[in-house]
Amino acid sequence: MQTTVLITPERERRRVRKARERAAADVVAAARHTRQQSARAEHDAQRTERRSTTYLPTAGEPGPATLRTPGRFRLPKHQDTSATWGGAYPFLAEGGLGSEGVFVGQDLYSGSSFVYDPWVLYQRGLITAPNVVLAGIVGAGKSALAKSLYTRSIPFGRRVYVPGDPKGEHTAVAHAVGGRAIMLGPGLANRLNPLDGGRRPSDIDDAQWAAQVAARRRDLLGALAETVLDRALTPLEHTAIDFALADTVRSTEVPILPMVVDRLLAPNRRDDVDGRLAEDGRLPGHALRRLVAGDLAGMFDGPSTIAFDPDLPMTSLDLSRVAQNTTAMSVLMTCASAWMESALLDPAGGQRWVIYDEAWRLMQHPALLRRMDAHWRLARHYGIANMLIFHKLSDLENVGDQGSAMRALASSLLANAETRIIYRQEPDQLGATATALGLTRTEQALLTTLGTGQGLWRIRDRSFVCQHQIHPDELALFDTSARASGVPRNFKNAEASFG
């Protein structure tokens, strides 16, 4: 509007120019009036809102229920450590994991109930792997915690597999929950054929099932031979085992180990074209013969006399009869893993706990360690929560040599477990434990002060200190110290053992 006075039509009459200027002025005035009206309406609305809002008086509402002082609350400034403030102000404690899952005990920092369920936490995105590592010295209560976690999960529809129980601790628990404990060892009537096909998953066709069974049998025979020979097989030895297994399967529907051993030591002439197959399979054949006719005979040398029922709430393999024979125990574990594997790796099998007790023994054998690592990596896909039970985390340093593949596999088990439960540790183990788990100095110092049944729970990047609470009936079933203490199981005091 200001520039219009500089540009005017040529020979414009004065009357027309005055009319145009008056029209422009009217437009500007109308716009200004509209803005003023809008601002006035907004101001009136805000004033009306302020007048209609009721505020509490500074001293609070009158009456006995005010719970406020008439003066302002003034607190002098004070500086202290976060540990002190955590005790002075309970509302600064960790909020917990929620109420969904299995009751464990009491959170000693907040005083609230502590509930844990790896599948629930995985569904909520709080963890990315449902595996658990549990470590603690003898007598700290870690065994009772493991049994509580998996038995209290059974009413939620979970099932429990214990593929190796060196001390037979889980046998009574399996019977109590309606499951089964399978005991194998020299002189017993039970036989386990590791070459059984197992239970067929519901989502594969005939060709896939046949290929899966054949691959499992080859892997199992190779793992058994490696365990007995205490070394890796050569390509020629693998080939000899493949030919022996294929020839056995052609002659019988369900092969057994003696048949495979016979064909390793005396191959079929049709397969042994150059006459060298017998020499290639001689050492693996004699290694497997030890399971058939040697000191490990009587467990795997015939058809299975027991059946694995994956629908039972709990199945445990009792290895207490062979606990002193390291080779026999590793062979049993290898066979049991293959025996359970078809049901364990069934995506339609539901959610299952797999408990590896006395893990330091099992991890000494490369074949077992590789199987455990495979199960841990596939845990999310198959709905499995693996639990590895140690005495101390420095046991991982005894697996293989520094920089070896076995040491790397053992470390990966810890890396793939986002729930780490640490019970009381000896002072000389604090450095290794803190390094392995990335503990703070406060958490590290806490480990030597924990009482029986108390544990530091590291769940991803969160920490809790929990007091495990156990029912007297559970204690009578779970207690592993009755034999040493000489006190009958049914008369143990729950508070004496678990605070």
Side-chain angles (χ1 to χ4, degrees):
M1 299 303 295
Q2 295 176 353
T3 59
T4 55
V5 299
L6 303 177
I7 303 173
T8 59
E10 186 179 2
R11 298 179 180 177
E12 181 182 27
R13 291 181 178 276
R14 183 172 179 274
R15 178 175 54 80
V16 176
R17 179 171 56 80
K18 291 293 186 180
R20 177 170 52 76
E21 292 175 351
R22 283 196 299 273
D26 291 342
V27 171
V28 173
R32 184 170 55 252
H33 180 71
T34 301
R35 289 196 300 270
Q36 291 174 349
Q37 291 294 331
S38 176
R40 185 177 294 109
E42 183 179 357
H43 177 267
D44 291 342
Q46 293 177 352
R47 183 175 58 181
T48 302
E49 182 180 359
R50 287 195 299 270
R51 289 178 176 178
S52 63
T53 302
T54 303
Y55 295 95
L56 290 175
T58 304
E61 294 182 351
T66 57
L67 298 179
R68 295 181 61 179
T69 59
R72 292 196 175 199
F73 179 70
R74 289 183 174 86
L75 185 68
K77 294 181 180 180
H78 183 74
Q79 183 176 357
D80 215 316
T81 64
S82 57
T84 301
W85 287 120
Y89 289 85
F91 49 80
L92 295 179
E94 166 67 61
L97 299 173
S99 58
E100 296 182 60
V102 174
F103 173 77
V104 178
Q106 184 183 36
D107 187 334
L108 294 182
Y109 283 161
S110 66
S112 62
S113 296
F114 186 80
V115 176
Y116 176 78
D117 190 301
W119 293 281
V120 171
L121 297 182
Y122 177 74
Q123 292 170 0
R124 292 167 53 191
L126 298 180
I127 58 176
T128 59
N131 300 313
V132 179
V133 168
L134 172 58
I137 64 173
V138 176
K142 64 181 184 302
S143 179
L145 174 66
K147 294 170 185 174
S148 290
L149 282 177
Y150 69 68
T151 54
R152 294 175 185 179
S153 297
I154 292 175
F156 293 89
R158 282 66 183 264
R159 289 189 288 277
V160 184
Y161 298 155
V162 185
D165 181 11
K167 296 185 290 186
E169 290 184 8
H170 302 271
T171 297
V173 181
H175 293 312
V177 299
R180 184 178 186 182
I182 301 169
M183 180 176 289
L184 291 173
L188 298 178
N190 290 335
R191 294 292 186 277
L192 187 156
N193 179 16
L195 301 180
D196 279 338
R199 178 165 176 168
R200 178 173 173 172
S202 57
D203 61 339
I204 63 175
D205 55 29
D206 293 341
Q208 291 175 326
W209 174 237
Q212 189 178 108
V213 171
R216 187 185 307 121
R217 286 170 174 167
R218 282 196 304 270
D219 292 344
L220 173 63
L221 290 172
L224 289 175
E226 287 183 353
T227 301
V228 178
L229 292 172
D230 197 20
R231 64 168 175 82
L233 296 181
T234 66
L236 294 177
E237 291 170 336
H238 276 293
T239 300
I241 290 176
D242 290 345
F243 275 110
L245 178 61
D247 189 35
T248 304
V249 172
R250 282 194 298 264
S251 62
T252 182
E253 184 177 354
V254 181
I256 57 176
L257 271 178
M259 297 179 180
V260 179
V261 171
D262 291 342
R263 285 162 176 80
L264 272 172
L265 298 178
N268 192 317
R269 293 183 179 181
R270 181 181 57 185
D271 298 328
D272 194 9
V273 178
D274 56 1
R276 301 179 59 181
L277 196 58
E279 180 62 25
D280 295 339
R282 186 173 62 87
L283 290 180
H286 284 288
L288 294 176
R289 184 183 178 279
R290 186 177 171 188
L291 308 179
V292 174
D295 59 324
L296 301 179
M299 294 181 284
F300 315 105
D301 51 3
S304 294
T305 60
I306 48 180
F308 175 66
D309 185 358
D311 295 326
L312 289 176
M314 180 175 177
T315 301
S316 174
L317 186 65
D318 190 335
L319 306 181
S320 57
R321 290 293 187 94
V322 294
Q324 304 304 318
N325 189 330
T326 304
T327 303
M329 191 173 70
S330 62
V331 167
L332 271 172
M333 276 289 300
T334 303
C335 293
S337 297
W339 196 48
M340 296 182 178
E341 204 163 80
S342 59
L344 196 62
L345 302 185
D346 183 0
Q351 296 170 336
R352 291 144 292 180
W353 278 105
V354 182
I355 310 299
Y356 295 97
D357 204 350
E358 299 288 329
W360 62 273
R361 294 188 179 188
L362 312 178
M363 297 173 68
Q364 302 296 323
H365 307 283
L368 276 178
L369 189 57
R370 287 194 294 269
R371 281 184 177 271
M372 292 168 62
D373 181 66
H375 290 174
W376 279 53
R377 292 180 184 276
L378 297 173
R380 292 176 295 178
H381 177 67
Y382 291 108
I384 300 169
N386 298 283
M387 180 184 293
L388 208 59
I389 305 177
F390 290 97
H391 287 299
K392 51 188 181 296
L393 289 174
S394 61
D395 289 338
L396 292 174
E397 299 177 359
N398 299 325
V399 179
D401 298 326
Q402 181 69 31
S404 65
M406 284 186 64
R407 178 72 63 85
L409 283 178
S411 299
S412 71
L413 294 181
L414 183 60
N416 289 326
E418 291 190 330
T419 300
R420 293 93 176 265
I421 309 169
I422 310 97
Y423 273 40
R424 187 168 68 249
Q425 297 286 308
E426 297 294 350
D428 61 340
Q429 298 296 321
L430 296 182
T433 303
T435 301
L437 302 180
L439 302 182
T440 65
R441 286 183 297 177
T442 302
E443 292 170 335
Q444 179 178 344
L446 178 70
L447 296 182
T448 58
T449 65
L450 295 173
T452 304
Q454 295 178 355
L456 171 65
W457 291 60
R458 284 294 303 269
I459 301 176
R460 208 168 184 175
D461 55 353
R462 303 168 67 180
S463 297
F464 306 87
V465 177
C466 174
Q467 170 68 60
H468 178 210
Q469 294 181 346
I470 190 169
H471 191 273
D473 291 341
E474 289 181 308
L475 180 62
L477 180 63
F478 299 163
D479 183 36
T480 59
S481 62
R483 184 179 299 177
S485 62
V487 180
R489 272 185 163 185
N490 294 334
F491 298 97
K492 290 286 289 180
N493 187 303
E495 294 185 359
S497 293
F498 288 91

